[in-house]
Amino acid sequence: MLQYDLVVVGGGPAGMAAALQAHEDGVEKILVLERADTLGGILEQCIHTGFGLHYFGEELSGPEYAARFSDALYKTNIDVKVDTMVLDISAENVVTAVNNFDGILTVQAKAVVLAMGCRERPRGALSIAGSRPSGIMTAGTAQKYVNIDGYMPGKTVVILGSGDIGLIMARRMTLEGAKVKAVCELMPYSGGLTRNIVQCLEDFGIPLRLSCTVIQTHGKERLEGVTVANVDEHSQPIPGTEEYIPCDTLMLSVGLIPENELSKSAGVTLDPVTNGPVVDEYRETSKKGVFACGNVLQVHDLVDYVTEESKLAGAGAAKFIRNEKPAGGLVSTAGANGVRYVVPQRINRQTDRDVKLYFRVGKVMESVMLSVSCGDETLISRKKRKMAPGEMEYVTLKASDLAKLPEGAKLVVSTREA
Amino acid sequence: MKTKDLICVSCPIGCAVTVTLNDNGEVVSVTGNTCKRGDSYARQECTHPERMLTSTVKVSGGRLPVVPVKSAKPVPKELLLSCMKEINKVQVQAPVHIGDVVLSNILNTGVDIVATNNA
């Protein structure tokens, strides 16, 4: 059995940043295991720009952003195994993986960072009537076809879901000569970033149809068209609003699911709202020495925040390995009044750094007061002009304020009308 | 005088910006932005809109059939589709490195098209 201080599962932006931070903090033996044939994760197919505005102060494409980290990583003595699939993480932090060179390999790790990312919700998760012709795919699959494999998956396209990948693909397909007939969104607001709605749809005159969904697909061998309909406030199709749109491709951008099969088998507790592990301020899960960061923990909008979070996990793993992680009693966090969830879910009171509480709201809110309170005491209060489910928000708690809280205290992030 | 409502795309916040233009189409005022970049974006967007362009070009002899590229600087928005026609004519030979110019001065805009991955 191989022996490592730290095993990082996943070599995307989260895994690379965590490994690099742990290395910087003095962890000696680090192994990164990556399923694909290169490091970089999903960034490799995200060829559009906009990555790195916060972290580097530059507007990079996905592969460029990834290369900043993979170049740095290959200059260190961090071991990397690509084309390697992790099969299991045991209760004792033994990581079992498989690849073509080593066969089955087992690694005893002092600490593990989970950085497996997320995957797209597929057609099977939706109730769309119709058979299974070719031409129906997730937006991310289409993105891989166009940007990595170099071929066009269709000529006339309808996109269901206005998540960022769907919006980005609407523009990409249009630039490559396809006709994108509509982007349909079940909700009355878009799930994507505003700038993507402007630059990917409005720039090209692509209609965004809100409160609208695909209720049926048509075609036997190849998709021939879809029937769309408007929906009521309960997301139910309204009879009489059906419209047939001829198209050869239907792309789905209907949500992302953190990929936590390994976390579950490792015995990590998951948050039912984020579908990711419950973690503390260093992103340590309910299982000692197992950390989680990036989209496996919570689905992010911006890779810059993934990097920031993953550096925390890497720093936390380094502290754990050196037995220097802050202890001293936990406080818990929760969202209320429109705040759907808060990450981290718990915080060590005696932590050695300020803690950012990341959260999302459940609906579009304008002119609200956002507060962090503990019992009757309000720690932070701030006016927010606008918050939307598509954009992750955060508030920063000072370490000195955390230290004053009693053990077992509950911090609540909530909103009220301003 | 007329006003134009825009959503600033300089960063993910997406401020709702209102631009007031005089009868000659010159910008008189910009309101609603929360930083300097919002002001310059709004002025630019009303007079001379530009966009970053990203795509792929064919590559032979590399690990992948295509390599991603971007415009080194934003190009005029109205030229996006014409630039795509030029980019789609390009074929490069591996090896290609991040930052390599694959097409210089596209459509005489003074903007180079550069590779954004190694291939």
Side-chain angles (χ1 to χ4, degrees), chain A residues 209-243:
Chain A
R209 298 177 58 157
L210 298 172
S211 299
C212 175
T213 193
V214 172
I215 57 169
Q216 191 173 359
T217 64
H218 306 272
K220 194 161 177 248
E221 296 301 319
R222 177 76 194 192
L223 186 70
E224 288 165 11
V226 296
T227 302
V228 303
N230 296 336
V231 298
D232 62 21
E233 62 271 33
H234 306 294
S235 302
Q236 294 304 307
I238 302 169
T241 65
E242 298 89 351
E243 183 191 337

Side-chain angles (χ1 to χ4, degrees), chain A residues 84-347:
Chain A
T84 302
M85 173 91 173
V86 174
L87 303 173
D88 184 58
I89 301 164
S90 79
E92 295 75 32
N93 287 351
V94 174
V95 179
T96 306
V98 64
N99 66 30
N100 278 347
F101 313 100
D102 306 289
I104 295 267
L105 60 132
T106 52
V107 191
Q108 175 68 60
K110 288 180 190 161
V112 175
V113 171
L114 305 173
M116 293 88 78
C118 60
R119 59 171 167 251
E120 294 175 283
R121 179 166 286 136
R123 181 193 176 173
L126 310 172
S127 307
I128 303 175
S131 58
R132 299 186 165 269
S134 68
I136 303 173
M137 66 200 80
T138 63
T141 300
Q143 189 179 45
K144 179 174 183 293
Y145 287 154
V146 180
N147 294 346
I148 304 277
D149 301 329
Y151 65 83
M152 284 285 281
K155 295 193 178 83
T156 52
V157 186
V158 169
I159 299 176
L160 174 59
S162 60
D164 288 310
I165 314 167
L167 300 177
I168 293 287
M169 281 313 292
R171 173 175 63 187
R172 186 78 186 105
M173 294 298 285
T174 306
L175 285 173
E176 289 291 359
K179 173 77 186 155
V180 179
K181 295 200 165 169
V183 175
C184 301
E185 169 60 54
L186 183 71
M187 305 306 288
Y189 51 83
S190 167
L193 297 172
T194 311
R195 68 183 213 152
N196 285 338
I197 295 169
V198 176
Q199 293 196 339
C200 299
L201 300 187
E202 288 178 13
D203 274 7
F204 299 97
I206 299 168
L208 171 62
R209 298 177 58 157
L210 298 172
S211 299
C212 175
T213 193
V214 172
I215 57 169
Q216 191 173 359
T217 64
H218 306 272
K220 194 161 177 248
E221 296 301 319
R222 177 76 194 192
L223 186 70
E224 288 165 11
V226 296
T227 302
V228 303
N230 296 336
V231 298
D232 62 21
E233 62 271 33
H234 306 294
S235 302
Q236 294 304 307
I238 302 169
T241 65
E242 298 89 351
E243 183 191 337
Y244 178 77
I245 306 179
C247 61
D248 62 21
T249 306
L250 173 64
M251 291 183 189
L252 305 173
S253 178
V254 290
L256 300 168
I257 309 163
E259 197 164 342
N260 273 297
E261 282 69 21
L262 281 173
S263 321
K264 284 183 208 162
S265 74
V268 163
T269 306
L270 300 186
D271 180 320
V273 182
T274 60
N275 288 315
V278 170
V279 292
D280 71 8
E281 79 280 12
Y282 275 110
R283 305 303 186 265
E284 187 174 13
T285 67
S286 61
K287 190 166 178 295
K288 273 222 161 305
V290 177
F291 295 75
C293 55
N295 283 350
V296 79
L297 175 60
Q298 56 174 337
V299 175
H300 293 68
D301 321 310
L302 301 177
V303 72
D304 305 65
Y305 291 165
V306 169
T307 300
E308 201 173 88
E309 176 171 274
S310 306
K311 289 175 76 172
L312 272 178
K319 282 175 189 286
F320 174 84
I321 290 165
R322 288 199 306 267
N323 215 2
E324 286 171 9
K325 239 189 117 240
L330 292 165
V331 296
S332 62
T333 67
N337 245 350
V339 175
R340 284 184 60 230
Y341 70 83
V342 179
V343 170
Q345 292 86 348
R346 50 204 173 86
I347 304 168

Side-chain angles (χ1 to χ4, degrees), chain B residues 17-114:
Chain B
V17 178
T18 303
V19 185
T20 309
L21 301 152
N22 67 18
D23 296 335
N24 299 328
E26 290 157 353
V27 176
V28 178
S29 72
V30 178
T31 55
N33 53 307
T34 51
C35 76
K36 276 188 206 157
R37 285 161 68 200
D39 185 89
S40 52
Y41 168 79
R43 287 170 194 276
Q44 176 98 46
E45 192 65 10
C46 287
T47 51
H48 183 55
E50 289 185 327
R51 294 287 185 269
M52 288 293 286
L53 177 61
T54 60
S55 186
T56 53
V57 302
K58 282 181 212 151
V59 51
S60 51
R63 72 184 167 97
L64 294 169
V66 291
V67 64
V69 297
K70 71 174 180 185
S71 55
K73 286 183 290 187
V75 294
K77 185 175 136 181
E78 69 274 13
L79 290 182
L80 286 176
L81 291 171
S82 321
C83 285
M84 280 300 294
K85 288 203 178 104
E86 298 303 309
I87 288 171
N88 282 341
K89 289 179 196 161
V90 177
Q91 174 144 12
V92 293
Q93 185 73 39
V96 182
H97 300 288
I98 290 179
D100 286 359
V101 175
V102 301
L103 180 58
S104 63
N105 188 18
I106 190 166
L107 295 176
N108 288 318
T109 53
V111 177
D112 292 341
I113 302 298
V114 298

